[in-house]
Amino acid sequence: METPHFRLKFIGLMGVLALVGIGVWQGHSLDLPQLMQGIDSLGPLAWLAFIVLYAVATVAFLPGSLLTLVGGALFGPILGTLVNLTGATLGAVLAFLIARHLGAEWVRNRAGSRLAAILDGVAAEGWRFVALVRLVPLFPFNVLNYALGLTRIPLLPYLLTTWIAMLPGAAAYTWLGYLGREAAVGGEDLIKKGLLVLGLLVAVALLPGLLLRWKAAQGPRWSIDELYRQQTTAQAMTLLDVRDAKDFHGEFGHIPGSLNIPLPELTARLPELRASGHTLAVVCHTDKRSTKAVQQMRQAGLDKVILVRGGVQAWKRRNWPLERG
């Protein structure tokens, strides 16, 4: 039986789909000179109106790159970057919240095991995943905003990471829009400004490759769900918990079958771990101490070392059994 809450969600979803449909239909026929003239005519309120326009355009799937160029032309390289970045981030947050409140519950209830594992893995990475996909354009920006809303990534890390990770690209395209207007009106120092824009564009183009290399250097990682699966299938695997003994045996407990070697004692126990030849899955309460342990072991030449994201805390959130004492 349909409830008022369901009907409100359905009406909201239809409204968003209609807005997106209009945006996709009209997106490639934007009259940029007329848009710039209309925004510029608002005087002191122009920057605020442009932020609102950019946010609505992001929700409606209008091309953000064109708006970023317009923002640079209207407001210059510094204010334009702040205005563009604020509008894009606000739009990204609105799309995120729309997806979370209108579709996340429905998707989670109907997701198969593979999709559920993907969503859990993304949530376990949290802000790190948001930073990666913002800096490495694997998916269209407007689609990504809605997709991330279907995960359990908290709102505040999503907002802050989106703002920070989009800053390099926003600055580069804002400067490009500013340079275009300067060239049109015959501004001074065009060569110097053009070289600066070129440098920014090259930096933005190289950044994804550098980030992917850094990501690869971090080595393999497992979500807590992957650890659970590996415990039932993997051969010769040691689950290493690097918390202090009082935490390992304390009230919070530890994952069954794990070996406790506190981080300060790890160096002395490395020969023992190397001799076992096992794959080492490393956990702590979250993943701070385990990250340090993994780095230490890899520097010592152990290559079969895997960081488990989320640690014992993530295991507890799944209501899986823990041992105490």
Side-chain angles (χ1 to χ4, degrees), residues 210-272:
L210 294 174
L211 182 64
L212 288 174
R213 290 193 192 97
W214 173 82
K215 188 75 175 176
Q218 302 304 301
R221 298 182 176 198
W222 285 347
S223 67
I224 202 68
D225 303 274
E226 181 64 20
L227 172 66
Y228 188 85
R229 287 191 291 271
Q230 291 290 338
Q231 278 196 312
T232 61
T233 60
Q235 300 296 319
M237 183 193 78
T238 296
L239 177 57
L240 178 63
D241 190 322
V242 295
R243 293 176 298 162
D244 296 336
K246 63 181 179 64
D247 296 324
F248 183 81
H249 297 292
E251 183 178 350
F252 200 89
H254 56 267
I255 299 172
S258 53
L259 168 68
N260 180 222
I261 300 180
L263 184 59
E265 302 174 16
L266 186 59
T267 301
R269 303 282 294 274
L270 285 177
E272 169 191 337

Side-chain angles (χ1 to χ4, degrees), residues 99 240 302-303:
L240 178 63
L302 279 75
D303 54 357

